[in-house]
Coordinates of all heavy atoms in Angstrom, one line a residue:
M23 N 0.8 -1.2 0.0 CA 0.0 0.0 0.0 C 0.9 1.2 0.0 O 1.8 1.3 0.8 CB -0.9 0.0 1.2 CG -1.9 1.1 1.3 SD -2.9 1.1 2.8 CE -4.1 -0.2 2.6
S24 N 0.5 2.2 -0.9 CA 1.4 3.4 -1.0 C 1.2 4.4 0.3 O 0.1 4.2 0.9 CB 1.1 4.2 -2.3 OG -0.2 4.8 -2.2
L25 N 2.1 5.2 0.4 CA 1.9 6.2 1.6 C 0.7 7.0 1.4 O -0.1 7.3 2.3 CB 3.2 7.1 1.6 CG 3.2 8.1 2.7 CD1 3.3 7.3 4.0 CD2 4.4 9.0 2.6
E26 N 0.3 7.4 0.2 CA -0.8 8.1 -0.1 C -2.2 7.4 0.3 O -3.1 8.0 0.9 CB -1.0 8.5 -1.6 CG -1.7 9.8 -1.9 CD -1.4 10.3 -3.3 OE1 -1.3 9.5 -4.2 OE2 -1.3 11.5 -3.5
E27 N -2.1 6.1 0.0 CA -3.3 5.2 0.4 C -3.4 5.1 1.9 O -4.5 5.1 2.5 CB -3.2 3.9 -0.2 CG -3.5 3.8 -1.7 CD -3.2 2.6 -2.3 OE1 -2.1 1.9 -2.1 OE2 -4.0 2.1 -3.2
K28 N -2.2 5.0 2.6 CA -2.2 4.9 4.0 C -2.6 6.2 4.7 O -3.2 6.2 5.8 CB -0.8 4.6 4.5 CG -0.5 3.1 4.4 CD 0.9 2.9 5.0 CE 1.5 1.6 4.5 NZ 2.9 1.4 4.9
L29 N -2.2 7.3 4.2 CA -2.4 8.6 4.8 C -3.3 9.5 3.9 O -2.7 10.4 3.2 CB -1.1 9.3 5.1 CG -0.3 8.7 6.1 CD1 1.1 9.4 6.1 CD2 -0.9 8.7 7.5
P30 N -4.6 9.2 3.7 CA -5.4 10.0 2.8 C -5.5 11.5 3.2 O -5.4 11.8 4.4 CB -6.8 9.4 2.9 CG -6.8 8.7 4.2 CD -5.4 8.3 4.5
G31 N -5.8 12.3 2.3 CA -5.9 13.8 2.6 C -7.1 14.1 3.2 O -8.0 13.3 3.4
W32 N -7.3 15.4 3.6 CA -8.5 15.8 4.3 C -9.8 15.5 3.5 O -10.8 15.4 4.0 CB -8.4 17.2 4.8 CG -8.3 18.3 3.7 CD1 -7.2 18.7 3.1 CD2 -9.4 18.9 3.0 NE1 -7.6 19.6 2.1 CE2 -8.9 19.8 2.1 CE3 -10.8 18.8 3.2 CZ2 -9.7 20.5 1.2 CZ3 -11.6 19.6 2.4 CH2 -11.0 20.5 1.4
K33 N -9.7 15.6 2.1 CA -10.8 15.4 1.3 C -11.3 14.0 1.5 O -12.5 13.8 1.2 CB -10.5 15.7 -0.1 CG -10.4 17.2 -0.4 CD -10.1 17.5 -1.8 CE -10.0 19.0 -2.1 NZ -9.7 19.3 -3.4
E34 N -10.6 13.1 1.9 CA -11.0 11.7 2.0 C -11.6 11.4 3.3 O -12.1 10.3 3.6 CB -9.8 10.7 1.7 CG -9.5 10.5 0.3 CD -8.8 11.7 -0.3 OE1 -7.9 12.3 0.3 OE2 -9.3 12.2 -1.3
I35 N -11.5 12.3 4.3 CA -12.1 12.1 5.6 C -13.7 12.0 5.4 O -14.3 12.8 4.7 CB -11.8 13.3 6.6 CG1 -10.3 13.3 6.8 CG2 -12.6 13.0 7.9 CD1 -9.9 14.5 7.7
P36 N -14.3 10.9 6.0 CA -15.7 10.7 5.8 C -16.5 11.9 6.4 O -16.1 12.5 7.4 CB -16.0 9.4 6.5 CG -14.8 9.1 7.4 CD -13.7 9.8 6.8
I37 N -17.6 12.1 5.9 CA -18.6 13.1 6.4 C -18.8 12.8 7.9 O -19.1 11.8 8.3 CB -19.9 13.2 5.7 CG1 -19.7 13.6 4.2 CG2 -20.9 14.0 6.4 CD1 -20.8 13.5 3.3
G38 N -18.7 13.9 8.7 CA -18.8 13.7 10.1 C -17.4 13.3 10.8 O -17.4 13.2 12.0
G39 N -16.4 13.2 10.1 CA -15.1 12.8 10.6 C -14.5 14.0 11.4 O -14.9 15.1 11.1
I40 N -13.6 13.8 12.2 CA -13.0 14.9 12.9 C -11.5 15.0 12.5 O -10.7 14.2 12.8 CB -13.0 14.6 14.5 CG1 -14.5 14.4 14.9 CG2 -12.4 15.7 15.3 CD1 -14.7 14.0 16.4
P41 N -11.2 16.2 11.9 CA -9.9 16.4 11.3 C -8.9 16.9 12.3 O -7.8 17.2 12.0 CB -10.2 17.4 10.2 CG -11.3 18.2 10.6 CD -12.1 17.3 11.5
F42 N -9.2 17.1 13.6 CA -8.3 17.6 14.5 C -8.6 17.0 15.9 O -9.7 16.5 16.1 CB -8.5 19.1 14.7 CG -9.8 19.6 15.0 CD1 -10.3 19.7 16.3 CD2 -10.8 19.9 14.0 CE1 -11.6 20.0 16.6 CE2 -12.0 20.3 14.3 CZ -12.5 20.4 15.6
K43 N -7.6 17.1 16.8 CA -7.8 16.5 18.1 C -8.5 17.6 19.0 O -8.0 18.7 19.0 CB -6.4 16.1 18.7 CG -6.5 15.3 19.9 CD -5.0 14.9 20.2 CE -5.0 14.2 21.6 NZ -4.9 15.2 22.7
P44 N -9.6 17.2 19.7 CA -10.3 18.2 20.5 C -9.4 18.6 21.6 O -8.4 17.9 21.9 CB -11.4 17.5 21.1 CG -11.6 16.3 20.2 CD -10.3 15.9 19.7
S45 N -9.6 19.8 22.2 CA -8.8 20.4 23.3 C -8.9 19.4 24.6 O -9.9 18.9 25.0 CB -9.3 21.7 23.7 OG -8.8 22.1 24.9
T46 N -7.7 19.1 25.0 CA -7.7 18.3 26.3 C -6.9 19.1 27.4 O -7.1 18.9 28.5 CB -7.0 17.0 26.2 OG1 -5.7 17.2 25.4 CG2 -7.9 16.0 25.4
E47 N -6.1 20.0 26.9 CA -5.2 20.8 27.8 C -6.1 21.9 28.4 O -5.8 22.3 29.6 CB -4.0 21.5 27.1 CG -2.9 20.5 26.9 CD -1.8 21.1 26.1 OE1 -1.4 22.2 26.5 OE2 -1.4 20.5 25.2
Y48 N -6.9 22.5 27.7 CA -7.7 23.7 28.1 C -9.1 23.3 28.3 O -9.7 22.7 27.4 CB -7.6 24.9 27.2 CG -6.1 25.3 27.0 CD1 -5.5 24.8 25.8 CD2 -5.4 26.0 27.9 CE1 -4.2 25.2 25.6 CE2 -4.1 26.3 27.7 CZ -3.4 25.9 26.5 OH -2.1 26.2 26.4
K49 N -9.7 23.6 29.5 CA -11.2 23.4 29.6 C -11.9 24.5 28.9 O -11.8 25.7 29.2 CB -11.5 23.4 31.1 CG -10.9 22.2 31.8 CD -11.3 22.1 33.3 CE -10.7 20.8 33.8 NZ -11.1 20.6 35.3
T50 N -12.7 24.1 27.8 CA -13.4 25.0 27.0 C -14.9 25.1 27.2 O -15.6 25.7 26.6 CB -13.2 24.5 25.5 OG1 -13.4 23.2 25.4 CG2 -11.8 24.8 25.0
G51 N -15.3 24.3 28.3 CA -16.7 24.2 28.6 C -17.4 25.5 29.0 O -18.6 25.7 28.9
D52 N -16.6 26.5 29.4 CA -17.3 27.7 29.9 C -17.6 28.7 28.7 O -18.1 29.7 28.9 CB -16.4 28.4 31.0 CG -15.0 28.8 30.5 OD1 -14.7 28.5 29.3 OD2 -14.3 29.4 31.3
W53 N -17.4 28.2 27.4 CA -17.8 28.9 26.3 C -19.3 28.8 26.1 O -19.9 29.6 25.4 CB -17.2 28.4 25.0 CG -15.7 28.5 24.9 CD1 -14.8 29.0 26.0 CD2 -14.8 28.2 23.8 NE1 -13.6 28.9 25.5 CE2 -13.5 28.4 24.2 CE3 -15.1 27.8 22.6 CZ2 -12.5 28.3 23.3 CZ3 -14.1 27.6 21.6 CH2 -12.8 27.9 22.0
K54 N -19.9 27.8 26.7 CA -21.2 27.5 26.3 C -22.3 28.2 26.9 O -22.1 28.8 28.0 CB -21.6 26.0 26.4 CG -21.5 25.5 28.0 CD -21.8 24.0 27.9 CE -21.6 23.4 29.3 NZ -20.2 23.6 29.9
V55 N -23.4 28.5 26.2 CA -24.6 29.2 26.8 C -25.6 28.1 27.1 O -26.3 28.2 28.1 CB -25.2 30.1 25.7 CG1 -26.4 30.9 26.2 CG2 -24.1 31.2 25.3
F56 N -25.7 27.1 26.3 CA -26.7 26.0 26.5 C -25.9 24.7 26.8 O -24.7 24.5 26.2 CB -27.6 25.8 25.3 CG -28.6 26.8 25.1 CD1 -28.3 27.9 24.4 CD2 -29.8 26.9 25.8 CE1 -29.1 29.0 24.2 CE2 -30.7 27.9 25.7 CZ -30.4 28.9 24.9
K57 N -26.4 23.8 27.5 CA -25.8 22.5 27.8 C -26.7 21.3 27.5 O -27.9 21.5 27.7 CB -25.2 22.4 29.2 CG -26.2 22.3 30.2 CD -25.6 22.2 31.6 CE -26.6 22.1 32.7 NZ -26.1 22.0 34.0
P58 N -26.2 20.3 27.0 CA -27.1 19.1 26.7 C -27.3 18.3 28.0 O -26.4 18.1 28.8 CB -26.2 18.2 25.7 CG -24.7 18.5 26.1 CD -24.8 20.0 26.6
V59 N -28.6 17.9 28.2 CA -29.0 17.1 29.3 C -29.7 15.9 28.7 O -30.6 16.0 27.9 CB -30.0 17.9 30.2 CG1 -30.4 17.0 31.3 CG2 -29.2 19.1 30.9
I60 N -29.2 14.8 29.1 CA -29.7 13.5 28.6 C -30.8 12.9 29.4 O -30.7 12.9 30.7 CB -28.6 12.5 28.5 CG1 -27.5 13.0 27.5 CG2 -29.1 11.1 27.9 CD1 -26.3 12.2 27.4
N61 N -31.9 12.6 28.8 CA -33.0 11.9 29.5 C -32.7 10.4 29.3 O -32.9 9.7 28.2 CB -34.3 12.2 28.9 CG -35.5 11.6 29.4 OD1 -35.4 10.5 30.1 ND2 -36.7 12.1 29.1
Y62 N -32.3 9.7 30.4 CA -31.9 8.4 30.3 C -33.0 7.4 30.2 O -32.9 6.2 29.9 CB -30.9 8.0 31.5 CG -29.6 8.7 31.4 CD1 -29.3 9.8 32.2 CD2 -28.6 8.2 30.5 CE1 -28.1 10.4 32.1 CE2 -27.4 8.8 30.4 CZ -27.1 9.9 31.2 OH -25.9 10.6 31.0
E63 N -34.3 7.9 30.4 CA -35.4 7.0 30.2 C -35.7 6.8 28.7 O -36.3 5.9 28.3 CB -36.6 7.6 30.9 CG -36.5 7.5 32.4 CD -37.7 7.9 33.2 OE1 -38.7 8.2 32.6 OE2 -37.5 7.9 34.4
K64 N -35.3 7.9 27.9 CA -35.5 7.8 26.5 C -34.2 7.1 25.8 O -34.3 6.6 24.6 CB -35.7 9.1 25.9 CG -37.1 9.7 26.1 CD -37.1 10.9 25.2 CE -38.4 11.7 25.4 NZ -38.4 13.0 24.6
C65 N -33.1 7.3 26.3 CA -31.8 7.0 25.6 C -31.8 5.5 25.4 O -32.0 4.6 26.3 CB -30.6 7.4 26.6 SG -29.0 6.9 25.9
T66 N -31.3 5.1 24.2 CA -31.2 3.7 23.7 C -29.8 3.3 23.7 O -29.5 2.2 23.1 CB -31.9 3.5 22.3 OG1 -31.2 4.3 21.4 CG2 -33.4 4.0 22.3
K67 N -28.9 4.1 24.1 CA -27.5 3.8 24.1 C -26.9 3.6 22.7 O -25.9 2.8 22.4 CB -27.1 2.5 24.9 CG -27.5 2.5 26.3 CD -27.0 1.2 26.9 CE -27.4 1.1 28.4 NZ -27.0 -0.2 29.0
C68 N -27.5 4.2 21.7 CA -27.0 4.1 20.3 C -25.7 4.8 20.1 O -24.9 4.5 19.2 CB -28.0 4.7 19.3 SG -28.1 6.5 19.3
L69 N -25.3 5.8 20.9 CA -24.1 6.5 21.0 C -23.8 7.4 19.7 O -22.7 7.7 19.5 CB -22.9 5.6 21.2 CG -23.0 4.8 22.6 CD1 -21.8 3.9 22.8 CD2 -23.1 5.7 23.8
F70 N -24.9 7.7 19.1 CA -24.7 8.7 18.0 C -24.2 10.0 18.5 O -23.4 10.7 17.9 CB -26.1 9.0 17.3 CG -26.5 8.0 16.3 CD1 -25.9 6.7 16.2 CD2 -27.5 8.2 15.3 CE1 -26.3 5.8 15.3 CE2 -27.9 7.3 14.4 CZ -27.3 6.1 14.3
C71 N -24.6 10.4 19.7 CA -24.2 11.7 20.3 C -22.7 11.6 20.6 O -22.0 12.6 20.3 CB -25.0 11.9 21.6 SG -25.0 10.5 22.7
H72 N -22.2 10.5 21.0 CA -20.7 10.3 21.2 C -20.0 10.4 19.9 O -18.9 11.1 19.8 CB -20.5 8.9 21.9 CG -19.1 8.4 21.9 ND1 -18.2 9.0 22.8 CD2 -18.4 7.6 21.1 CE1 -17.0 8.4 22.6 NE2 -17.1 7.6 21.6
I73 N -20.5 9.9 18.8 CA -19.8 9.9 17.6 C -19.9 11.2 16.9 O -18.9 11.7 16.4 CB -20.5 8.8 16.6 CG1 -20.3 7.4 17.1 CG2 -20.0 9.0 15.2 CD1 -21.2 6.3 16.5
Y74 N -21.0 11.9 17.0 CA -21.1 13.2 16.3 C -20.5 14.4 17.1 O -20.3 15.4 16.5 CB -22.6 13.5 16.0 CG -23.1 12.7 14.8 CD1 -23.9 11.7 14.9 CD2 -22.8 13.2 13.5 CE1 -24.4 11.0 13.8 CE2 -23.2 12.5 12.4 CZ -24.0 11.4 12.6 OH -24.5 10.8 11.4
C75 N -20.4 14.3 18.3 CA -19.8 15.5 19.1 C -18.5 15.9 18.6 O -17.5 15.1 18.6 CB -19.6 15.1 20.6 SG -18.9 16.5 21.5
P76 N -18.4 17.0 18.0 CA -17.1 17.5 17.5 C -16.0 17.7 18.4 O -14.9 17.8 18.1 CB -17.5 18.8 16.7 CG -18.7 19.3 17.4 CD -19.4 18.1 17.9
D77 N -16.3 17.7 19.7 CA -15.4 18.0 20.7 C -15.0 16.8 21.5 O -14.2 16.8 22.5 CB -15.9 19.1 21.7 CG -15.3 20.4 21.2 OD1 -14.1 20.6 21.2 OD2 -16.2 21.2 20.8
G78 N -15.6 15.6 21.2 CA -15.3 14.4 22.0 C -15.8 14.6 23.4 O -15.2 14.0 24.3
A79 N -16.8 15.4 23.6 CA -17.2 15.7 24.9 C -18.3 14.8 25.6 O -18.7 15.1 26.6 CB -17.6 17.2 25.0
I80 N -18.6 13.8 24.8 CA -19.6 12.9 25.3 C -18.8 11.6 25.6 O -18.4 10.9 24.6 CB -20.8 12.7 24.4 CG1 -21.6 14.0 24.3 CG2 -21.7 11.6 25.0 CD1 -23.0 13.9 23.8
K81 N -18.7 11.3 26.9 CA -18.0 10.1 27.3 C -19.0 8.9 27.4 O -20.2 9.1 27.4 CB -17.3 10.3 28.7 CG -16.6 11.5 28.8 CD -15.3 11.6 27.9 CE -14.5 12.7 28.0 NZ -13.7 13.0 26.8
I82 N -18.5 7.7 27.4 CA -19.4 6.6 27.5 C -19.1 5.9 29.0 O -18.0 5.7 29.4 CB -19.1 5.5 26.5 CG1 -19.2 6.0 25.2 CG2 -20.0 4.2 26.7 CD1 -18.6 5.1 24.0
K83 N -20.2 5.9 29.7 CA -20.1 5.3 31.1 C -19.9 3.8 31.1 O -20.2 3.2 30.1 CB -21.3 5.8 31.9 CG -21.5 7.3 32.0 CD -22.5 7.7 33.1 CE -23.9 7.3 32.6 NZ -25.0 7.6 33.8
E84 N -19.6 3.3 32.2 CA -19.4 1.8 32.3 C -20.7 1.0 31.9 O -20.6 -0.1 31.5 CB -18.9 1.4 33.7 CG -17.4 1.5 33.8 CD -16.9 0.9 35.1 OE1 -17.6 0.2 35.8 OE2 -15.7 1.2 35.4
D85 N -21.8 1.6 32.2 CA -23.1 1.0 31.9 C -23.5 1.2 30.5 O -24.6 0.7 30.0 CB -24.1 1.4 32.8 CG -24.5 3.0 32.7 OD1 -23.9 3.6 31.9 OD2 -25.2 3.5 33.6
G86 N -22.6 1.8 29.6 CA -22.9 1.9 28.2 C -23.7 3.2 27.9 O -23.9 3.5 26.7
Y87 N -24.1 4.0 28.9 CA -24.8 5.2 28.6 C -23.9 6.3 28.3 O -22.8 6.4 28.9 CB -25.8 5.6 29.8 CG -27.0 4.8 29.8 CD1 -27.2 3.7 30.7 CD2 -28.1 5.1 29.0 CE1 -28.4 3.0 30.7 CE2 -29.3 4.4 29.0 CZ -29.4 3.4 29.8 OH -30.6 2.6 29.8
P88 N -24.2 7.3 27.5 CA -23.4 8.5 27.3 C -23.5 9.5 28.4 O -24.5 9.6 29.2 CB -24.0 9.1 25.9 CG -25.5 8.7 26.0 CD -25.5 7.4 26.8
E89 N -22.4 10.3 28.6 CA -22.4 11.3 29.6 C -21.7 12.5 29.1 O -20.5 12.4 28.9 CB -21.8 10.7 30.9 CG -21.8 11.8 32.0 CD -21.2 11.1 33.3 OE1 -20.2 10.5 33.2 OE2 -21.9 11.3 34.4
P90 N -22.3 13.7 29.0 CA -21.5 14.9 28.5 C -20.5 15.3 29.6 O -20.8 15.3 30.7 CB -22.7 15.9 28.4 CG -24.0 15.2 28.5 CD -23.7 13.9 29.3
D91 N -19.3 15.7 29.1 CA -18.4 16.2 30.0 C -18.4 17.7 29.8 O -17.9 18.3 28.8 CB -17.0 15.7 29.5 CG -15.8 16.2 30.5 OD1 -16.1 17.2 31.2 OD2 -14.8 15.6 30.4
Y92 N -19.0 18.4 30.8 CA -19.3 19.8 30.7 C -18.1 20.6 30.7 O -18.0 21.8 30.5 CB -20.2 20.2 31.8 CG -21.6 19.6 31.6 CD1 -22.3 18.9 32.7 CD2 -22.4 19.7 30.4 CE1 -23.5 18.4 32.5 CE2 -23.6 19.1 30.3 CZ -24.2 18.4 31.3 OH -25.4 17.8 31.2
D93 N -16.9 20.0 31.1 CA -15.7 20.8 31.1 C -15.2 21.2 29.7 O -14.4 22.0 29.5 CB -14.5 20.0 31.8 CG -14.6 20.1 33.3 OD1 -15.4 21.0 33.9 OD2 -14.1 19.3 34.0
F94 N -15.7 20.3 28.8 CA -15.2 20.4 27.4 C -16.4 20.7 26.4 O -16.1 21.1 25.2 CB -14.4 19.2 26.9 CG -13.2 19.1 27.7 CD1 -13.1 18.2 28.8 CD2 -12.1 19.8 27.6 CE1 -12.0 18.1 29.6 CE2 -11.0 19.8 28.3 CZ -10.9 18.9 29.4
C95 N -17.6 20.4 26.7 CA -18.8 20.6 25.8 C -18.9 22.2 25.6 O -18.8 23.0 26.6 CB -20.0 20.1 26.5 SG -21.5 20.8 25.8
K96 N -19.0 22.5 24.3 CA -19.1 23.9 24.0 C -20.6 24.3 23.7 O -20.9 25.4 23.3 CB -18.3 24.2 22.7 CG -16.8 24.1 23.0 CD -16.0 24.8 21.9 CE -14.5 24.5 22.0 NZ -14.1 23.3 21.3
G97 N -21.5 23.3 23.8 CA -22.9 23.7 23.8 C -23.4 23.9 22.4 O -24.4 24.6 22.2
C98 N -22.8 23.3 21.4 CA -23.2 23.5 20.0 C -24.5 22.9 19.7 O -25.2 23.3 18.7 CB -22.1 22.9 19.1 SG -22.0 21.0 19.1
G99 N -25.0 21.9 20.3 CA -26.3 21.2 20.1 C -26.3 20.1 19.1 O -27.4 19.6 18.8
I100 N -25.1 19.8 18.5 CA -25.1 18.8 17.5 C -25.6 17.4 18.0 O -26.5 16.7 17.4 CB -23.8 18.6 16.9 CG1 -23.4 19.8 16.0 CG2 -23.6 17.3 16.1 CD1 -22.0 19.8 15.5
C101 N -25.3 17.1 19.3 CA -25.7 15.8 19.8 C -27.3 15.8 20.0 O -27.8 14.8 19.6 CB -25.0 15.6 21.2 SG -25.3 17.0 22.3
A102 N -27.8 16.9 20.4 CA -29.3 16.9 20.5 C -29.9 16.8 19.1 O -31.0 16.1 19.0 CB -29.7 18.2 21.2
E103 N -29.4 17.4 18.2 CA -29.9 17.3 16.8 C -29.8 16.0 16.2 O -30.7 15.5 15.5 CB -29.1 18.3 15.9 CG -29.7 18.7 14.6 CD -31.1 19.5 14.8 OE1 -31.2 20.3 15.7 OE2 -31.9 19.2 14.0
E104 N -28.8 15.2 16.6 CA -28.5 13.9 16.0 C -29.2 12.8 16.7 O -29.3 11.7 16.2 CB -27.0 13.6 15.8 CG -26.3 14.6 14.8 CD -26.8 14.5 13.4 OE1 -27.4 13.5 13.1 OE2 -26.7 15.5 12.7
C105 N -29.5 13.0 17.9 CA -30.1 11.9 18.8 C -31.5 11.5 18.1 O -32.4 12.2 17.9 CB -30.4 12.4 20.2 SG -31.3 11.2 21.1
P106 N -31.5 10.2 17.7 CA -32.7 9.7 16.9 C -34.0 9.7 17.8 O -35.1 9.7 17.2 CB -32.3 8.4 16.4 CG -31.1 7.9 17.2 CD -30.5 9.1 17.8
V107 N -33.9 9.6 19.1 CA -35.1 9.6 19.9 C -35.3 10.8 20.7 O -36.2 10.9 21.6 CB -35.0 8.3 20.8 CG1 -35.0 7.0 20.0 CG2 -33.8 8.4 21.8
K108 N -34.5 11.9 20.3 CA -34.7 13.2 21.1 C -34.6 13.1 22.6 O -35.4 13.5 23.3 CB -36.0 13.8 20.6 CG -36.1 14.1 19.1 CD -35.1 15.1 18.7 CE -34.9 15.3 17.2 NZ -33.7 15.6 16.7
A109 N -33.6 12.3 22.9 CA -33.4 12.1 24.4 C -32.4 13.3 25.0 O -32.2 13.3 26.2 CB -32.7 10.8 24.6
I110 N -32.0 14.2 24.1 CA -31.1 15.2 24.6 C -31.8 16.6 24.5 O -32.2 16.9 23.4 CB -29.8 15.2 23.9 CG1 -29.1 13.9 23.9 CG2 -28.9 16.3 24.4 CD1 -27.8 13.8 23.2
E111 N -31.8 17.2 25.6 CA -32.4 18.6 25.6 C -31.3 19.7 25.9 O -30.5 19.4 26.8 CB -33.5 18.7 26.7 CG -34.3 20.0 26.6 CD -35.3 20.1 27.7 OE1 -35.4 19.2 28.6 OE2 -35.9 21.2 27.9
M112 N -31.3 20.7 25.1 CA -30.4 21.8 25.4 C -31.0 22.7 26.4 O -32.1 23.3 26.1 CB -30.0 22.5 24.0 CG -29.3 21.6 23.0 SD -27.7 20.8 23.6 CE -26.7 22.3 23.7
V113 N -30.3 22.9 27.5 CA -31.0 23.8 28.5 C -29.9 24.9 28.8 O -28.7 24.7 28.7 CB -31.3 23.1 29.8 CG1 -32.3 22.0 29.5 CG2 -30.1 22.5 30.5
K114 N -30.4 26.0 29.2 CA -29.5 27.1 29.6 C -28.5 26.8 30.6 O -28.9 26.1 31.6 CB -30.4 28.3 30.1 CG -29.7 29.7 30.1 CD -30.1 30.4 28.8 CE -29.2 31.6 28.6 NZ -29.7 32.9 28.8
D115 N -27.3 27.1 30.4 CA -26.2 26.6 31.4 C -26.3 27.5 32.6 O -26.4 28.6 32.6 CB -24.9 26.8 30.7 CG -23.7 26.1 31.4 OD1 -24.1 25.1 32.2 OD2 -22.6 26.5 31.4
Ligands
SF4_22 S1 -27.8 9.7 20.6 FE1 -29.6 9.8 22.0 S2 -30.3 7.7 22.3 FE2 -28.3 7.7 21.3 S3 -26.9 7.4 23.0 FE3 -27.0 9.6 22.6 S4 -28.6 10.3 24.0 FE4 -28.8 8.1 23.9
SF4_23 S1 -23.5 20.3 22.8 FE1 -21.9 20.0 21.2 S2 -20.0 20.0 22.3 FE2 -21.6 19.6 23.8 S3 -21.7 17.5 24.0 FE3 -23.2 18.1 22.4 S4 -22.2 17.9 20.4 FE4 -20.6 17.9 22.1

């Protein structure tokens, strides 16, 4: 396999892929105005929210449920938008 095949350029990154590493050194969570709150009675553990969060701010708990890390969540609302069962509500921080 050629180097080009092993290391595709940014145009080959799949839709929804993350081209950069989210911040881990700086807590960026205080940027947000709204925060996601998960209704665990509705959540099906599909983890779409974990996959789509551009900041990697939704962790997976030991029981398989997602959990937002408010230290890094910027409140963009993508997780709430992508949740297929509307288990995530954006509330004022
Ligand atoms: S996208 Fe919604 S249903 Fe799926 S794991 Fe996240 S909160 Fe639960
Ligand atoms: S609101 Fe945005 S940054 Fe925060 S957990 Fe959801 S997708 Fe990630």
